[in-house]
Amino acid sequence: MRKTFKIAVFGGDGIGPEIMAPTVRLLQGIARESETLAFQFHEVAAGAAHYRATGESLPEASLDTARKSDAILLSAMGLPEVRYPDGTEISPQIELRMKLGLYAGVRPVFVQPGQDVPLKSRRVTDIDFVIIRESTEGLFASHGKGVVEDDREARETLVITRAISEKLFDFAFKLARQRQQSGRGQGLVHCVDKANVFQAFAFFRKIFFERAQAYPEIKAETAYVDATALWMVQKPWMFDVLVTENMFGDILSDLGAGLMGSLGLAPSADIGDHHAVFQPCHGSAPDIAGKGIANPMAMILSAAMMLEWLGHEHGNTEAIAMGDALRTAVSDVLVEGRTLTADLGGSARTDMVAGAVAAAYKMRVPA
């Protein structure tokens, strides 16, 4: 019996709709060949362009559709010239994380054989780790609540709570176990913090070691965020799962994308107890919007993460296999190197890359 998954689709701003459309078509093609799943896509409005037109960045109707969906696909959001009255950019993705309780931001970092990346080392293909970024607290707890007094002083408040931290660390340890069982991981979790300076991070680290006791088969280690940034360049293959505060995770995730060669290759998921959003890490790139040259790979890889998550959540092994095959198909296109967008040194258009991934997927999963 086929299960129909309801997917909320946020097309986004700038290049957002250009990378979302081929991704949805790819998922529709995958579902047509499936024996166990189908998709029902619901396009919903949000973003900077919508805010400019209506004064709303995330309409209540869109949020309601997201809540009722099995998963949420969200493309690049925001436009530099469109801002809230406080001067910050329009960011419905942050609002979704807060309102849906999406505390675990999952940012994979991996390099495939033959892939051209900035880091030159014989061990570069050993890079395969995941950054888990807490996505509702930390310094981002001040989102929309910062204070500027008399144009002379500004304040933002960092928040760490036990309730969210415990769930975050459990998520990280369970992911490390899952990666170890699949043969991809080392059974290792690093807590990345600044516990030598801030009490909030000393508290964060304390909770980390408390939760580690429930996972004796997983090695628990700690690292200061500045040292982690250094090691991510010097010896990134040492890492398996890194779990950290919101702002630290935001910065390290982009460094991870740099290791992969481009933000255009960096997918992500924001996962909570009942909902999950899947989106590329990159921005809306308005300078190339409408030209049909944006890299769709991060969006496609985010869709692959969605398939795997749906599979695990609903006990659908076919969805898990499909997600893995789609991720591998992207890697196949990267390694072949003939159909790449400009950010990866090629000249292919968005639809050409999506088509190449679809063809590689069919080779992996013949109809």
Side-chain angles (χ1 to χ4, degrees), residues 290-367:
K291 297 180 180 180
I293 59 174
N295 186 350
M297 287 183 169
M299 187 76 251
I300 293 171
L301 287 168
S302 299
M305 292 179 70
M306 182 187 76
L307 284 167
E308 292 177 333
W309 180 79
L310 285 170
H312 285 295
E313 286 291 299
H314 297 273
N316 187 317
T317 56
E318 187 187 27
I320 296 171
M322 287 175 164
D324 182 65
L326 184 55
R327 177 171 52 82
T328 306
V330 172
S331 297
D332 290 343
V333 174
L334 280 170
V335 172
E336 185 183 45
R338 292 194 301 177
T339 314
L340 303 176
T341 44
D343 58 310
L344 298 175
S347 58
R349 296 179 63 80
T350 306
D351 55 354
M352 293 170 61
V353 174
V357 172
Y361 177 86
K362 288 181 180 179
M363 293 293 290
R364 292 278 173 177
V365 185

Side-chain angles (χ1 to χ4, degrees), residues 246-258:
N246 210 334
M247 179 61 82
F248 289 167
D250 189 16
I251 296 166
L252 293 179
S253 294
D254 276 19
L255 177 55

